[in-house]
């Protein structure tokens, strides 16, 4: 006998009035899987860029510079910086999500773990493919974790918070913060190079592509929500 479903109070119900838990649980499991796989891959992709030595994404230029200054690993520095940035959310009245807090720890741990496994590379013939693989994998990772919709990364929230408090555009806030981050990191010994430029021009299109690929279907009707622009409060990086 055919059994239709209706929705009530945010729950999917069968015609007999029992919650259809399988759909909502499967939806949550998929979102959680995307979140943590995405964050782990983001850390791994950053490690590939570090090992390539041809230029890092803006925040990791700062992390690497601080690592050189303090003697800590870049992953540990990333965790400390992420936690410090998260504290700045308080005066900006930003609310973190599960993805925000997870981002602080998972990315740094995955970065250090991947660096520990990677052999040292010296030739350009190896370093260039590592750079390209790192950028593409970063786009995949960004699409995964943002499409999971568990909240922006701490650095994203800083920029969107500044946008809300100052009235300036997100693009302007992002540019101002990342220029300051890159200059500071470079001064401290972080690597800026062709990889930094290539990352800057390619990560947006790559992330948008993989946001579409990994868009999570709605739990209520099974339809797929496809990002047509940047998701609310997210700007394509953790």
């Amino acid at each position: 006998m055919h059994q239709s479903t209706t929705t009530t109070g945010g729950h999917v119900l069968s015609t007999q009035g029992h919650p259809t838990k399988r759909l909502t649980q499967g939806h949550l499991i998929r979102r959680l899987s995307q979140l943590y796989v995405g964050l782990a891959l983001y850390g791994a992709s950053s490690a590939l860029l570090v090992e390539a030595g041809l230029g890092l994404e803006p925040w990791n230029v700062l992390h690497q510079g601080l690592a050189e200054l303090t003697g800590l690993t870049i992953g540990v520095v990333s965790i400390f910086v992420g936690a410090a940035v998260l504290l700045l959310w308080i005066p900006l009245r930003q609310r973190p999500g599960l993805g925000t807090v997870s981002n602080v720890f998972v990315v740094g741990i995955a970065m250090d773990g991947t660096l520990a496994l990677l052999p040292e590379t010296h030739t350009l013939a190896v370093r260039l493919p590592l750079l390209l693989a790192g950028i593409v994998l970063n786009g995949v990772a960004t699409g995964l974790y943002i499409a999971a919709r568990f909240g922006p990364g701490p650095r994203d929230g800083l920029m969107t918070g500044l946008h809300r408090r100052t009235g300036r555009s997100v693009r302007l806030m992002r540019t101002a913060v990342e220029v300051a981050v890159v200059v500071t990191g470079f001064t401290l010994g972080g690597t800026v190079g062709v990889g930094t430029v290539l990352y800057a021009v390619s990560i947006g299109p790559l992330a948008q592509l993989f946001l579409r690929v990994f868009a999570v279907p709605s739990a209520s009707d099974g339809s797929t929500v496809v990002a047509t622009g940047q998701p609310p409060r997210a700007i394509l990086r953790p």
Side-chain angles (χ1 to χ4, degrees):
M1 181 176 66
H2 176 70
Q3 187 178 58
S4 61
T5 60
T6 59
T7 60
T8 180
H11 296 286
V12 180
L13 302 180
S14 70
T15 53
Q16 297 177 341
H18 299 294
T20 306
K21 295 182 178 179
R22 181 178 299 177
L23 178 61
T24 55
Q25 288 177 346
H27 183 259
L28 179 60
I29 289 171
R30 172 173 173 177
R31 289 175 61 209
L32 286 170
S33 298
Q34 283 198 198
L35 171 66
Y36 289 107
V37 170
L39 292 177
L41 289 179
Y42 196 100
S45 69
S46 295
L48 294 181
L49 297 178
V50 171
E51 192 61 39
L54 296 172
L56 302 177
E57 62 267 52
W59 280 94
N60 273 332
V61 175
L62 176 63
H63 298 156
Q64 189 181 54
L66 289 172
E68 293 287 336
L69 180 66
T70 62
L72 299 172
T73 66
I74 189 171
V76 170
V77 170
S78 173
I79 292 172
F80 280 126
V81 171
V85 170
L86 193 54
L87 290 177
L88 295 176
W89 282 35
I90 298 173
L92 295 174
R93 298 180 182 178
Q94 295 279 89
R95 293 184 178 180
L98 174 64
T100 309
V101 178
S102 298
N103 178 287
V104 172
F105 299 98
V106 175
V107 172
I109 292 171
M111 194 187 314
D112 276 352
T114 304
L115 283 170
L117 295 174
L118 287 173
E120 290 188 9
T121 58
H122 300 286
T123 64
L124 189 60
V126 177
R127 294 165 62 201
L128 185 57
L130 273 182
L131 170 67
L132 298 177
I135 292 174
V136 173
L137 185 59
N138 194 279
V140 172
T142 301
L144 276 167
Y145 95 85
I146 289 182
R149 303 194 308 275
F150 278 108
R155 297 156 185 84
D156 283 348
L158 172 63
M159 297 178 197
T160 54
L162 288 170
H163 154 68
R164 291 174 57 195
R165 296 289 284 181
T166 66
R168 303 290 186 178
S169 69
V170 172
R171 180 174 297 181
L172 177 61
M173 292 297 96
R174 172 178 170 176
T175 300
V177 170
E178 292 192 348
V179 166
V181 162
V182 168
V183 170
T184 302
F186 180 71
T187 302
L188 294 174
T191 304
V192 176
V194 63
T196 309
V197 177
L198 186 58
Y199 179 90
V201 300
S202 62
I203 190 59
L206 283 171
Q208 189 63 53
L209 168 64
F210 289 110
L211 275 167
R212 292 179 177 274
V213 171
F214 298 118
V216 180
S218 169
S220 60
D221 58 12
S223 63
T224 300
V225 179
V226 178
T228 56
Q230 292 180 344
R233 300 167 68 106
I235 46 179
L236 306 179
R237 75 167 42 83

